[in-house]
Each structure stands twice: as C-alpha cells, then as structure tokens.
Amino acid sequence: MNTRRIGWLGTSAGRVVMASLGLSLSAGCAGSAPAPADSSPQPVAHKPSPAPAKAAASDAKSPAPTAIPNRALLSLLHRAPLAANPTRSSAKTAAASLPENGKGDVRENYRAIAPATVIIRTPNGMGTGVIIGPSGWILTNNHVIDGGEKEDFKIKVTVEMGTLDKSGGMERSGKLLTAYVHKADPVRDLAVIKLDGNHKDLPSVRLAKTDPAPGEPVASLGHAGSGLVWAIKDGEVAAVGKLSTHLSQLVALECSPTENESGCKEKHQMFEGLKKMLDHDKPLMVVQSTCPNWPGDSGGPLVNRASELVGLNSFGYGSSENRSTFHVHVSEIRAFLEEIPKAAADILPDPWFDGGSEGTIEDADLDGRFDVLRTEGRDGLARFYDLDQNSYGSGKRPEIGEVFAKRAFDAEVVYLASGADTYVWYDTDNDNYFDVMLFDEGSTGRVSRGYRIGADKRMARDKSIATGGPLVQPDKIKDDGLRQTLGRLGSVTLGQGLVDLRGPLEQGLPDPILGGGREVEVADLDGDGQNDTLETSAVYSHGYVFDIDQSSLAEVVKGDQGRSLLEKKGVDAEVSVIGQGPSTWVWYDRNDDGKFDFVTHASRSLAGVALEAFRVGEDGRKEPAPEAVGRKLLRPRLLESSSHAMRLGRMSLRALASTMTAIADDGIDSFPDPARHGGLYYSFGDTTGWSKTFGSKVGWDKAVIVTAGLTSNSLIVDVNRDSPAPGKQRPEEVLDGGKYKPDFAFLHRDGLEWTYYDTDGDSKYDLVLFTTSPSSGVVERGFRIDKNGAVQLDPALAGGRMVRWSVFAKKPTATQFKKLAAELFQPRAIEE
C-alpha cells in the first residue's frame, strides 16, 4: 500500500523534518483509523487524477494543484458532464430554521449537523463525511476514501447514516450504503462521493457565505476512534492562513539579524526543508481551531453558530497534550466544488503529488536543452518527458519551486512509480491530452493492463494493448523523431530494461559545452596556478570542459562564475569530455578556431576506445571517421597545436583513466596496451592449466605472459623466443624491464578484441586488427603502423580472421606461430 500521505500530517518525509525541530507530530483531528502507537504513517491507497483545467482557471488565488498550463495533466475528468452544484440546491437543509446571523448554540449545531454527518468505512479504516446535497452528495477527505475498494480505477466506500433519537443523541441506522468517488484532490485533501441509488431530501449542510475569522465560535463533529460516534467538540477559530507561510515553526527558523552565520545557515537549511514539505503537501488555506479532534474525525464538518460549513476536519500537529487541529478552509471547498462530474471518476495517482517533492529538471539527452523533470520522494518517483523540448530552452535552469507551483512542464510521457504500482501516461499524438495509460500492478516492470483515454477523458481497458512488455514503449508515440527521443530519454533515466527498444536507437551527439551538466567546479588541472577546466555534473551525466590555452577560464575562480559562463556557452574550450552511463564522448576543436570539428564516442566506457567517430562540418553534419574507431577516446595529438597537445596530456592524466587517453604518442599508444589493460593478474603461460598443455607440446615455457581481470584478459607472446630468460622475475617485472620482445599480443576488453603483430621482427607492433564481435573471429578494422609511428587504416585487412600466421615476414616465426595459434584460439578466429 502507498504510505505517501496520512490524514493528519501529509508526508512521511515531513516527520523527519519536524522531528529534527524537536516536534512530535501526533494523529490529531483526522485519520481514517486510530494512529498506531509509534505514530508511523498509516497505509493509504492511490491518489486521484488531477482536477479539471476549467476548475483551475476559476480559482486564481489557489490554482488547482492538479492542472498544468496548456495541459490538463492526467485530467481524466476534463469535459465530463457535470452535475448541478450540490451546494446550491434549493432543498430544505437541516439548518434552515437557524438564524442567518449565527446566534445558535452548540446544541443547535448538533441537532442541525449530526443527521447530515455520516460514517465512511473502507478496508483500511473509518472516517467521517458530511452530506452537502440532498440527493446523496457527501464531502470528505481524500485520505478517508483513499483506501476504498478499487474496481479498476473507480473507488467505492461504505456509508452509514444516523437519526436523532428522543434524547437528542444519534442512533445508527444499521443500513450500509455504497458510495462512489466522483472527484478527489490529494493536495486540498478533499473528496466528494455520491450515494448509489436514488435519494432525495436527505439532511444536508450548506456552505458558509462568509469566511471564518479568528475568535469565532465553531464546532466540529466526527467519529473519533477514541470516543463515541457523532461526538461534537466545541471551540473557536484560533487562526486562518497557509501552513507554508504562517506556521509558527517556520517563523522560529527565520534568522535574526544578531545570529552568527553558522547557526543561521543550519536553521535556514531546516527552514527550507520544512517549507518545501509544506509547499508540496499543504500549500492551501487552512483553519486552525481549538476543537480537540482525533483520528476518525477526518472528513467531519466544522461549522459556525449558524451551522454553516466553514471547514472540514483534516489533520493535526503536536503531541496528545499539545495538539493543533486543522481544517480545510471553506474557500478551498468552494473552489473544489465548482465542478463535480456526474459519473464516478477514474481515480489515479497524481505524478506531481505522488512522485515526491524533491525534483530537478535535466538535459538527459545532452543536447543542451532541458527535457526531463525528475521527482522523488519517500514512497514514489516520477519522470516527466518533454519529448519536443518546448517547455524550456537551453538557458539557465528554471527554478524547481516555480515549476512545481505552476506545474509548468509540457510532458508527452509521464512515468510514475507510486506505492506498490507503476503507471505510464502517453500523449501519443502530442495534442496536449494523454490518450493511453499503461498500468503495472505490483511494479513488476511489465505491463499488467492497458487503457485508452477517450475524448471525454474516461478510461476504458484496451485488450489490444499487449501485456507483459516493458512499460516505456516508444512505438506508442506517432512522431518518428519523438519516438526516438523517448527511447533515448527512457534508457538514460530508467534503464534499458524498462524501455521497449524494438529498432535501432539513433544516438544523437551531445552538446559539447552543456552536455556534462550544469553543476560546476573550477579546476587547475595542469598545476600552473591558473584555472583551465570546468568539471561539470548533473543527475545523469558528468564532464570536463578543457580551456587548454586558458583564454576564458584563467580569471574564473568560483563555481557560480563558471556556471554562468557555461550557461552562456562562453567557455573557449578546445576539448570537452562528456560521460553518461556507459557512454563517453570527446569533442575536439582541432584547429582552435572556436568550433568543435571532431568527436569520438564509446558506448562501453570500460574499454576506453572509440566505437564511433565523426568529423563535424560547419553546418553540424557529421561524417564518419573510421580511422579513429578501435583507438583511445582521448588523443591529444589530434590537436594541431603541439603545445596544446602536450598540455592536454598533462591535464587528462589528472582527470581521466589512462585506458582512454593516448599520452605517449598517437601511434601504437592510441590503442589499448595488451600488457597493461588486460587485467591485474599476471602469470607465465606454463603456470596455468590450459597453457601447460601447449607448453609441454611445443616448448613455450616462459614465452607466453597471461593477464586476466573481471572483464578482460590478454596474451603477450614471444613467438621467436629471442627474449632473455626471465630467471626468477615475475611476469609484470619482465614486462616492466623492457627486455621482453613480444611478436604477438591478444587483448579482450569489455567485449572488444584486438590482435597485435610485430611482422618484421623489429620489436615494434606494426599491425593491429580490431573487432567488436569476438564470437565471429572476423576483423572489422585493420591498421598499419609505419616506421615513424603513423597509423593508417587499411580497408583491405577487414573481413579476414583475427589470428593470422601469414603476416610474419620470417617463415620460422610464421610456422611457430601457426602451431601456437592452434593451441590458443578457436579455429573460426584463425586463418586457414
């Protein structure tokens, strides 16, 4: 069950914040069941869908918490036929005989409102409701009905009424009635239900035309779990306002002018944490009263002396000895009741509420524009995907509090994990209305049921939607470009296991400046006393922006200065490195003209080599550069300036792994080193079981060095046996000594393979073969290295076998290697 919200507080996270203030939050005034002894959150079920856009527009002071400008997010009630406003009925009310100027007393209050107050039961507990329409419309709290029985996404509860007896008390009717939820709002904590069947002339309570004022006498009624049902509590209005601006604990946390900076900083952090919780959970108008309400009173009426509704019992703060009771303000009730759907509603969780109050806006596809709103909380998380990226551009990151307040994010797909279940909504044709919803009951990671959302915003199960597949299905989006975008964004933010990638996923190029993220630290990586690098980060990415000639960063000393420069794209970077998940990109401005013109990309960062490379034209078009594939990602000597290349080499040593940086030269050093990158375990070939076999047959004792790691291994072989005897040296000592003369090497790393050959016996590798498909044993790219160390791609080498004995110039070496190859490698990898 979902423990995201409880009746008397609002969030579990709120307990942590309030506990840090030394406060005890007890279940006062409004719970659907008595609170447990440890005051842990009571389990409740799912939250409703957002309110209609029209209702939001009618309440300028308190915007409907479930509406988004230009998009009724999950507004399944939108355009639904509306019933007559139950609060405007001309039917006789139970309080009709009382004077309008409020001169009644508590006994009159009781006789007037008790018959209109009902018991509401769900499988999770009991609460209270108040009849506001004579045909069976009942107002209560969202958290009271939240645990009701579910029929698809419709919620039903059980209602019991009562009548006044001769003593003036209430007698239970004993008749259990069914009611369905027609509208609910988790932020206002309001819900309206309707009794099933035909009802008329039921006793009801009217809404007050004037708002309650501090000091005004009031009374509340409910069915507290610690007392009798239909118990009335007398009191006064203690205060009126918003918790997020009027709560006394917030005022106490505001720093005074005389406080020291450190103490003020700590209080400010607590202030921000508490305010954020209140802004998210209860940002609307409340009434504080002196009525001592308890769990079970939730949803009961708070009335003035004219027995008019001025509030609805909702929640409380404090210990049992010192409790503050709060009620939903009548102004919020009026706004909520502006429109009531005639039919029972599909009640779904609200991603803005149930996704949590902690959020950030991210550029998850690294193109420099914001596209994902991520929210998280104790009991849920949400991902909003703006596939056409029209919510925000590439400038400064928007203030997350403002985004939450306005619910201003134009998402075409929304993913929500809330409580036990997961939901994904799709606006398949990008017309600002969601029309498909996939439901994952129990959060298995696979679709349990699919639904179509009609023009009337009502849901119907669609059996044509296949079950069992991933929840994020790009093929639901009609536009080809947006479909690809969803595939990329979903894979990055949720992992590929939750995304249905039936076709190839086109990988776009990241923005070379903004792609690493907008959190910035300034660094001096070459150690000359002047800053030259911005270390960037975001939730899904990280990066280094290298200003090698220090033309733009030398005077930047603070992170906020660097961030401002980054967001303006004012960094004169010669190289940029961007990492996201297993992928890494390196951008180069090779001729230092202020424009990036070359990029290498690895989809497997552990290998540290380019699996794609492109030359980038003036118009942004990319042209494949196959000569860079299979070689290290970062190659300083791609820069035309030798001084820039030398400085970048020094800088990259402090920032990046040696596996991805070619430091020594751009020749053989641009490939992974089989002697260093095969693993941390070294041995001679004759010390392992499999190598003893070929060692005893062909005499390779001490001629093969083996390295091994978790995802890598290598063989370094002195084929012609012209290296000095190793004596008692360990294999790594032999390699470090520089006297070992290998003629052949094999490297397997992170699913990639290379073979290296010294074909002419001069102790230098001059041929390198590479493949991304080791199981095939077939070369994808072959490179030749000349006497000057220059590397050339040789297309003629592609298509042959990875292990070739014929490439050796000396026949004895070729013959010996042919024997060894048969012992070491499978036939499919060896030339015939």
Side-chain angles (χ1 to χ4, degrees), residues 474-493:
D475 65 352
K476 293 286 186 289
I477 302 298
K478 295 179 180 179
D479 182 87
D480 290 339
L482 301 186
R483 190 160 51 241
Q484 280 285 329
T485 300
L486 177 58
R488 291 194 298 269
L489 297 181
S491 298
V492 169
T493 59

Side-chain angles (χ1 to χ4, degrees), residues 10 31 70 95 346 348 485 544 664 773 787 812 821:
N70 302 320
D346 294 308
L348 290 115
T485 300
Y544 293 89
S773 302
K787 295 295 183 179

Side-chain angles (χ1 to χ4, degrees), residues 501-661:
L501 298 175
R502 298 184 182 180
L505 185 62
E506 296 177 8
Q507 181 66 63
L509 294 179
D511 186 284
I513 299 297
L514 297 172
R518 303 183 191 222
E519 296 300 317
V520 174
E521 292 186 14
V522 186
D524 171 21
L525 291 187
D526 67 357
D528 68 350
Q530 289 186 314
N531 288 324
D532 48 41
T533 304
L534 294 183
E535 299 181 25
T536 62
S537 63
V539 171
Y540 303 113
S541 59
H542 60 277
Y544 293 89
V545 180
F546 295 115
D547 177 12
I548 298 172
D549 57 14
Q550 300 171 324
S551 60
S552 58
L553 294 180
E555 303 300 322
V556 175
V557 294
K558 295 182 179 179
D560 55 353
Q561 293 176 310
R563 183 182 302 110
S564 176
L565 198 64
L566 186 85
E567 290 178 340
K568 295 175 183 177
K569 294 192 176 182
V571 186
D572 179 27
E574 286 73 41
V575 172
S576 175
V577 180
I578 298 168
Q580 184 180 81
S583 288
T584 303
W585 295 262
V586 180
W587 283 87
Y588 300 83
D589 176 5
R590 292 179 297 180
N591 60 1
D592 197 18
D593 66 348
K595 299 177 181 178
F596 290 103
D597 49 30
F598 198 82
V599 61
T600 57
H601 171 230
S603 56
R604 308 174 195 175
S605 294
L606 183 60
V609 297
L611 298 182
E612 289 183 303
F614 304 98
R615 285 177 285 275
V616 182
E618 293 280 346
D619 57 359
R621 293 184 180 180
K622 55 186 183 181
E623 176 188 344
E627 72 278 4
V629 174
R631 302 166 72 179
K632 291 182 180 179
L633 273 171
L634 184 60
R635 293 161 50 198
R637 283 173 172 75
L638 283 176
L639 300 177
E640 293 180 3
S641 168
S642 58
S643 62
H644 284 183
M646 291 178 63
R647 178 173 283 180
L648 177 60
R650 294 195 301 270
M651 294 164 69
S652 62
L653 280 176
R654 298 183 62 182
L656 305 168
S658 63
T659 52
M660 64 182 292
T661 306

